[in-house]
Amino acid sequence: MKDTSHHDERIAKMIFASVYPHYITKVEKKGRTKEELHEVISWLTGYNEKDLERILQEKDTFEQFFNNCTLHPNAKQIKGVICGYRVEEITNPITRQARYLDKLVDELAKGRPMEKILRQN
């Protein structure tokens, strides 16, 4: 796998609040809701609505976002290609976790059933 250290650093320093509106737009454009997006974020990270509000207000980076969460134990079941990278092969933890979230948002936008997105099978 090619060196992605610059890419990893860029993702870690990215502000979650700058990407969040794009997640909402993506899922709403495909007929899903902000509430469903929050359910997906909560499943992956353990964050509740109050936590999410604070993260958005304080402009946490993705590094802070993922370092302060409790990742769901089934997150490792998230597999596939996102942004040209196979999720399960990404070695940097913050980048892999950010891509987990991207993959879940994609699945939500594509209309996948919530129980499949939340790996409840």
Side-chain angles (χ1 to χ4, degrees):
M1 186 172 209
K2 63 184 173 187
D3 178 26
T4 59
S5 57
H6 174 70
H7 178 74
D8 293 338
E9 185 178 328
R10 202 178 94 237
I11 288 174
K13 302 301 177 208
M14 195 177 303
I15 304 296
F16 178 77
S18 70
V19 178
Y20 175 76
H22 300 289
Y23 290 153
I24 292 175
T25 301
K26 183 175 192 165
V27 301
E28 287 182 342
K29 196 183 289 187
K30 298 292 186 167
R32 301 305 284 259
T33 66
K34 179 179 172 181
E35 290 74 23
E36 288 174 307
L37 173 64
H38 285 196
E39 184 178 351
V40 166
I41 293 171
S42 179
W43 176 85
L44 180 63
T45 64
Y47 290 137
N48 60 32
E49 290 291 323
K50 195 174 181 180
D51 296 328
L52 202 50
E53 284 177 32
R54 181 199 56 77
I55 289 162
L56 293 168
Q57 279 188 331
E58 294 181 8
K59 300 196 182 325
D60 283 5
T61 63
F62 270 94
E63 185 172 31
Q64 293 166 315
F65 180 83
F66 285 112
N67 281 341
N68 294 323
C69 81
T70 303
L71 207 63
H72 194 283
N74 290 347
K76 289 183 177 116
Q77 293 179 13
I78 302 168
K79 298 186 186 314
V81 176
I82 188 81
C83 299
Y85 294 93
R86 184 154 286 287
V87 175
E88 58 272 25
E89 293 176 0
I90 298 172
T91 56
N92 181 282
I94 300 300
T95 302
R96 184 177 56 249
Q97 292 163 3
R99 295 307 182 203
Y100 282 163
L101 182 55
D102 290 341
K103 186 73 174 161
L104 295 177
V105 171
D106 273 4
E107 290 176 359
L108 184 63
K110 288 178 179 173
R112 193 164 194 218
M114 193 60 85
E115 62 272 3
K116 297 255 189 217
I117 296 169
L118 304 182
R119 299 341 193 234
Q120 296 174 344
N121 41 7

mmCIF file of all heavy atoms in Angstrom, residues 84-112:
data_model
loop_
_atom_site.group_PDB
_atom_site.id
_atom_site.type_symbol
_atom_site.label_atom_id
_atom_site.label_comp_id
_atom_site.label_asym_id
_atom_site.label_seq_id
_atom_site.Cartn_x
_atom_site.Cartn_y
_atom_site.Cartn_z
ATOM 1 N N GLY A 84 -11.576 5.137 -2.912
ATOM 2 C CA GLY A 84 -10.478 4.451 -3.569
ATOM 3 C C GLY A 84 -9.634 3.562 -2.670
ATOM 4 O O GLY A 84 -8.645 2.986 -3.113
ATOM 5 N N TYR A 85 -10.009 3.446 -1.409
ATOM 6 C CA TYR A 85 -9.245 2.622 -0.468
ATOM 7 C C TYR A 85 -10.135 1.533 0.102
ATOM 8 O O TYR A 85 -11.300 1.766 0.404
ATOM 9 C CB TYR A 85 -8.703 3.466 0.703
ATOM 10 C CG TYR A 85 -7.687 4.483 0.277
ATOM 11 C CD1 TYR A 85 -8.065 5.782 -0.043
ATOM 12 C CD2 TYR A 85 -6.340 4.146 0.188
ATOM 13 C CE1 TYR A 85 -7.127 6.722 -0.446
ATOM 14 C CE2 TYR A 85 -5.393 5.076 -0.210
ATOM 15 C CZ TYR A 85 -5.796 6.354 -0.528
ATOM 16 O OH TYR A 85 -4.868 7.272 -0.924
ATOM 17 N N ARG A 86 -9.579 0.353 0.274
ATOM 18 C CA ARG A 86 -10.306 -0.733 0.920
ATOM 19 C C ARG A 86 -10.230 -0.465 2.427
ATOM 20 O O ARG A 86 -9.151 -0.430 3.004
ATOM 21 C CB ARG A 86 -9.680 -2.085 0.561
ATOM 22 C CG ARG A 86 -10.458 -3.251 1.123
ATOM 23 C CD ARG A 86 -10.282 -4.525 0.327
ATOM 24 N NE ARG A 86 -10.993 -4.533 -0.934
ATOM 25 C CZ ARG A 86 -12.324 -4.666 -1.060
ATOM 26 N NH1 ARG A 86 -13.068 -4.778 0.001
ATOM 27 N NH2 ARG A 86 -12.890 -4.690 -2.243
ATOM 28 N N VAL A 87 -11.374 -0.249 3.046
ATOM 29 C CA VAL A 87 -11.463 0.164 4.450
ATOM 30 C C VAL A 87 -10.662 -0.748 5.369
ATOM 31 O O VAL A 87 -9.910 -0.282 6.229
ATOM 32 C CB VAL A 87 -12.941 0.237 4.912
ATOM 33 C CG1 VAL A 87 -13.041 0.553 6.385
ATOM 34 C CG2 VAL A 87 -13.706 1.245 4.096
ATOM 35 N N GLU A 88 -10.814 -2.057 5.180
ATOM 36 C CA GLU A 88 -10.169 -3.002 6.098
ATOM 37 C C GLU A 88 -8.644 -3.040 5.944
ATOM 38 O O GLU A 88 -7.950 -3.607 6.785
ATOM 39 C CB GLU A 88 -10.768 -4.404 5.954
ATOM 40 C CG GLU A 88 -10.695 -5.010 4.574
ATOM 41 C CD GLU A 88 -11.870 -4.670 3.649
ATOM 42 O OE1 GLU A 88 -12.536 -3.637 3.828
ATOM 43 O OE2 GLU A 88 -12.095 -5.451 2.711
ATOM 44 N N GLU A 89 -8.099 -2.401 4.918
ATOM 45 C CA GLU A 89 -6.643 -2.373 4.721
ATOM 46 C C GLU A 89 -6.002 -1.067 5.193
ATOM 47 O O GLU A 89 -4.784 -0.939 5.164
ATOM 48 C CB GLU A 89 -6.323 -2.590 3.238
ATOM 49 C CG GLU A 89 -6.679 -3.984 2.754
ATOM 50 C CD GLU A 89 -6.443 -4.171 1.258
ATOM 51 O OE1 GLU A 89 -5.998 -3.222 0.581
ATOM 52 O OE2 GLU A 89 -6.728 -5.284 0.775
ATOM 53 N N ILE A 90 -6.808 -0.103 5.620
ATOM 54 C CA ILE A 90 -6.264 1.178 6.088
ATOM 55 C C ILE A 90 -5.630 0.961 7.452
ATOM 56 O O ILE A 90 -6.275 0.463 8.380
ATOM 57 C CB ILE A 90 -7.365 2.256 6.152
ATOM 58 C CG1 ILE A 90 -7.940 2.501 4.760
ATOM 59 C CG2 ILE A 90 -6.818 3.546 6.761
ATOM 60 C CD1 ILE A 90 -9.162 3.404 4.733
ATOM 61 N N THR A 91 -4.350 1.322 7.585
ATOM 62 C CA THR A 91 -3.625 1.043 8.822
ATOM 63 C C THR A 91 -3.716 2.169 9.853
ATOM 64 O O THR A 91 -3.670 1.914 11.042
ATOM 65 C CB THR A 91 -2.130 0.751 8.532
ATOM 66 O OG1 THR A 91 -1.588 1.854 7.816
ATOM 67 C CG2 THR A 91 -1.975 -0.523 7.724
ATOM 68 N N ASN A 92 -3.864 3.406 9.400
ATOM 69 C CA ASN A 92 -3.967 4.525 10.339
ATOM 70 C C ASN A 92 -5.346 4.491 11.005
ATOM 71 O O ASN A 92 -6.365 4.526 10.310
ATOM 72 C CB ASN A 92 -3.757 5.850 9.609
ATOM 73 C CG ASN A 92 -3.841 7.032 10.546
ATOM 74 O OD1 ASN A 92 -4.933 7.443 10.926
ATOM 75 N ND2 ASN A 92 -2.689 7.569 10.904
ATOM 76 N N PRO A 93 -5.399 4.427 12.343
ATOM 77 C CA PRO A 93 -6.697 4.268 13.021
ATOM 78 C C PRO A 93 -7.686 5.413 12.767
ATOM 79 O O PRO A 93 -8.871 5.155 12.555
ATOM 80 C CB PRO A 93 -6.341 4.192 14.505
ATOM 81 C CG PRO A 93 -4.869 4.092 14.590
ATOM 82 C CD PRO A 93 -4.288 4.410 13.261
ATOM 83 N N ILE A 94 -7.235 6.648 12.790
ATOM 84 C CA ILE A 94 -8.153 7.784 12.585
ATOM 85 C C ILE A 94 -8.694 7.763 11.154
ATOM 86 O O ILE A 94 -9.897 7.938 10.936
ATOM 87 C CB ILE A 94 -7.467 9.131 12.892
ATOM 88 C CG1 ILE A 94 -6.972 9.191 14.352
ATOM 89 C CG2 ILE A 94 -8.411 10.304 12.588
ATOM 90 C CD1 ILE A 94 -8.033 9.036 15.409
ATOM 91 N N THR A 95 -7.831 7.532 10.191
ATOM 92 C CA THR A 95 -8.272 7.466 8.799
ATOM 93 C C THR A 95 -9.248 6.314 8.604
ATOM 94 O O THR A 95 -10.293 6.477 7.970
ATOM 95 C CB THR A 95 -7.065 7.309 7.849
ATOM 96 O OG1 THR A 95 -6.184 8.417 8.046
ATOM 97 C CG2 THR A 95 -7.490 7.256 6.400
ATOM 98 N N ARG A 96 -8.947 5.165 9.186
ATOM 99 C CA ARG A 96 -9.834 3.999 9.056
ATOM 100 C C ARG A 96 -11.194 4.309 9.683
ATOM 101 O O ARG A 96 -12.240 4.031 9.080
ATOM 102 C CB ARG A 96 -9.211 2.766 9.716
ATOM 103 C CG ARG A 96 -10.060 1.508 9.527
ATOM 104 C CD ARG A 96 -9.414 0.254 10.108
ATOM 105 N NE ARG A 96 -9.086 0.407 11.513
ATOM 106 C CZ ARG A 96 -7.842 0.488 12.001
ATOM 107 N NH1 ARG A 96 -6.795 0.389 11.218
ATOM 108 N NH2 ARG A 96 -7.640 0.633 13.294
ATOM 109 N N GLN A 97 -11.214 4.928 10.845
ATOM 110 C CA GLN A 97 -12.469 5.247 11.511
ATOM 111 C C GLN A 97 -13.270 6.288 10.728
ATOM 112 O O GLN A 97 -14.491 6.177 10.612
ATOM 113 C CB GLN A 97 -12.201 5.706 12.946
ATOM 114 C CG GLN A 97 -11.670 4.573 13.801
ATOM 115 C CD GLN A 97 -11.013 5.042 15.094
ATOM 116 O OE1 GLN A 97 -10.980 6.225 15.412
ATOM 117 N NE2 GLN A 97 -10.483 4.090 15.846
ATOM 118 N N ALA A 98 -12.574 7.279 10.166
ATOM 119 C CA ALA A 98 -13.256 8.274 9.329
ATOM 120 C C ALA A 98 -13.869 7.595 8.106
ATOM 121 O O ALA A 98 -14.992 7.930 7.696
ATOM 122 C CB ALA A 98 -12.282 9.370 8.911
ATOM 123 N N ARG A 99 -13.166 6.644 7.533
ATOM 124 C CA ARG A 99 -13.685 5.916 6.371
ATOM 125 C C ARG A 99 -14.820 4.973 6.773
ATOM 126 O O ARG A 99 -15.722 4.716 5.977
ATOM 127 C CB ARG A 99 -12.574 5.161 5.646
ATOM 128 C CG ARG A 99 -11.532 6.070 5.030
ATOM 129 C CD ARG A 99 -12.154 7.119 4.137
ATOM 130 N NE ARG A 99 -11.150 7.955 3.509
ATOM 131 C CZ ARG A 99 -11.369 9.166 3.057
ATOM 132 N NH1 ARG A 99 -12.568 9.713 3.152
ATOM 133 N NH2 ARG A 99 -10.412 9.865 2.505
ATOM 134 N N TYR A 100 -14.795 4.441 7.999
ATOM 135 C CA TYR A 100 -15.938 3.679 8.497
ATOM 136 C C TYR A 100 -17.184 4.566 8.430
ATOM 137 O O TYR A 100 -18.228 4.151 7.938
ATOM 138 C CB TYR A 100 -15.747 3.263 9.964
ATOM 139 C CG TYR A 100 -14.850 2.093 10.259
ATOM 140 C CD1 TYR A 100 -14.370 1.902 11.556
ATOM 141 C CD2 TYR A 100 -14.489 1.157 9.294
ATOM 142 C CE1 TYR A 100 -13.564 0.826 11.885
ATOM 143 C CE2 TYR A 100 -13.677 0.078 9.613
ATOM 144 C CZ TYR A 100 -13.210 -0.086 10.915
ATOM 145 O OH TYR A 100 -12.406 -1.144 11.242
ATOM 146 N N LEU A 101 -17.048 5.787 8.951
ATOM 147 C CA LEU A 101 -18.181 6.710 8.960
ATOM 148 C C LEU A 101 -18.620 7.036 7.532
ATOM 149 O O LEU A 101 -19.819 7.015 7.227
ATOM 150 C CB LEU A 101 -17.835 7.979 9.732
ATOM 151 C CG LEU A 101 -18.946 9.021 9.855
ATOM 152 C CD1 LEU A 101 -20.223 8.426 10.450
ATOM 153 C CD2 LEU A 101 -18.454 10.200 10.689
ATOM 154 N N ASP A 102 -17.659 7.304 6.659
ATOM 155 C CA ASP A 102 -17.993 7.579 5.251
ATOM 156 C C ASP A 102 -18.757 6.410 4.635
ATOM 157 O O ASP A 102 -19.729 6.602 3.904
ATOM 158 C CB ASP A 102 -16.728 7.828 4.425
ATOM 159 C CG ASP A 102 -16.039 9.135 4.761
ATOM 160 O OD1 ASP A 102 -16.678 10.023 5.361
ATOM 161 O OD2 ASP A 102 -14.850 9.266 4.411
ATOM 162 N N LYS A 103 -18.313 5.203 4.921
ATOM 163 C CA LYS A 103 -18.947 4.001 4.367
ATOM 164 C C LYS A 103 -20.378 3.859 4.879
ATOM 165 O O LYS A 103 -21.301 3.558 4.113
ATOM 166 C CB LYS A 103 -18.108 2.762 4.728
ATOM 167 C CG LYS A 103 -18.579 1.485 4.087
ATOM 168 C CD LYS A 103 -18.252 1.448 2.628
ATOM 169 C CE LYS A 103 -18.609 0.098 2.027
ATOM 170 N NZ LYS A 103 -18.713 0.175 0.584
ATOM 171 N N LEU A 104 -20.587 4.113 6.164
ATOM 172 C CA LEU A 104 -21.929 4.027 6.736
ATOM 173 C C LEU A 104 -22.858 5.076 6.129
ATOM 174 O O LEU A 104 -24.017 4.786 5.823
ATOM 175 C CB LEU A 104 -21.874 4.180 8.255
ATOM 176 C CG LEU A 104 -21.151 3.078 9.028
ATOM 177 C CD1 LEU A 104 -21.112 3.404 10.512
ATOM 178 C CD2 LEU A 104 -21.784 1.724 8.793
ATOM 179 N N VAL A 105 -22.335 6.294 5.941
ATOM 180 C CA VAL A 105 -23.129 7.361 5.320
ATOM 181 C C VAL A 105 -23.487 6.967 3.891
ATOM 182 O O VAL A 105 -24.630 7.150 3.455
ATOM 183 C CB VAL A 105 -22.392 8.713 5.376
ATOM 184 C CG1 VAL A 105 -23.104 9.773 4.546
ATOM 185 C CG2 VAL A 105 -22.249 9.192 6.821
ATOM 186 N N ASP A 106 -22.546 6.394 3.157
ATOM 187 C CA ASP A 106 -22.818 5.921 1.798
ATOM 188 C C ASP A 106 -23.915 4.855 1.798
ATOM 189 O O ASP A 106 -24.819 4.888 0.962
ATOM 190 C CB ASP A 106 -21.567 5.310 1.164
ATOM 191 C CG ASP A 106 -20.694 6.327 0.464
ATOM 192 O OD1 ASP A 106 -21.013 7.532 0.520
ATOM 193 O OD2 ASP A 106 -19.696 5.913 -0.147
ATOM 194 N N GLU A 107 -23.809 3.899 2.700
ATOM 195 C CA GLU A 107 -24.808 2.830 2.771
ATOM 196 C C GLU A 107 -26.192 3.405 3.091
ATOM 197 O O GLU A 107 -27.193 2.977 2.515
ATOM 198 C CB GLU A 107 -24.405 1.789 3.820
ATOM 199 C CG GLU A 107 -23.202 0.970 3.404
ATOM 200 C CD GLU A 107 -22.735 0.002 4.481
ATOM 201 O OE1 GLU A 107 -23.334 -0.038 5.587
ATOM 202 O OE2 GLU A 107 -21.760 -0.724 4.221
ATOM 203 N N LEU A 108 -26.244 4.381 3.988
ATOM 204 C CA LEU A 108 -27.503 5.031 4.334
ATOM 205 C C LEU A 108 -28.084 5.731 3.105
ATOM 206 O O LEU A 108 -29.251 5.558 2.774
ATOM 207 C CB LEU A 108 -27.279 6.032 5.475
ATOM 208 C CG LEU A 108 -28.508 6.743 6.026
ATOM 209 C CD1 LEU A 108 -29.481 5.748 6.650
ATOM 210 C CD2 LEU A 108 -28.094 7.799 7.048
ATOM 211 N N ALA A 109 -27.244 6.479 2.403
ATOM 212 C CA ALA A 109 -27.689 7.217 1.216
ATOM 213 C C ALA A 109 -28.131 6.273 0.097
ATOM 214 O O ALA A 109 -29.014 6.617 -0.687
ATOM 215 C CB ALA A 109 -26.574 8.136 0.721
ATOM 216 N N LYS A 110 -27.547 5.082 0.034
ATOM 217 C CA LYS A 110 -27.913 4.127 -1.017
ATOM 218 C C LYS A 110 -29.178 3.340 -0.680
ATOM 219 O O LYS A 110 -29.584 2.471 -1.442
ATOM 220 C CB LYS A 110 -26.752 3.166 -1.281
ATOM 221 C CG LYS A 110 -25.600 3.843 -1.996
ATOM 222 C CD LYS A 110 -24.443 2.895 -2.217
ATOM 223 C CE LYS A 110 -23.326 3.624 -2.955
ATOM 224 N NZ LYS A 110 -22.115 2.821 -3.066
ATOM 225 N N GLY A 111 -29.768 3.631 0.484
ATOM 226 C CA GLY A 111 -31.027 2.990 0.841
ATOM 227 C C GLY A 111 -30.906 1.644 1.507
ATOM 228 O O GLY A 111 -31.892 0.908 1.628
ATOM 229 N N ARG A 112 -29.714 1.297 1.954
ATOM 230 C CA ARG A 112 -29.537 0.007 2.624
ATOM 231 C C ARG A 112 -30.376 -0.011 3.912
ATOM 232 O O ARG A 112 -30.471 0.998 4.608
ATOM 233 C CB ARG A 112 -28.056 -0.178 2.950
ATOM 234 C CG ARG A 112 -27.707 -1.577 3.358
ATOM 235 C CD ARG A 112 -26.216 -1.826 3.291
ATOM 236 N NE ARG A 112 -25.980 -3.246 3.372
ATOM 237 C CZ ARG A 112 -24.985 -3.805 4.012
ATOM 238 N NH1 ARG A 112 -24.066 -3.063 4.588
ATOM 239 N NH2 ARG A 112 -24.849 -5.103 4.045
#
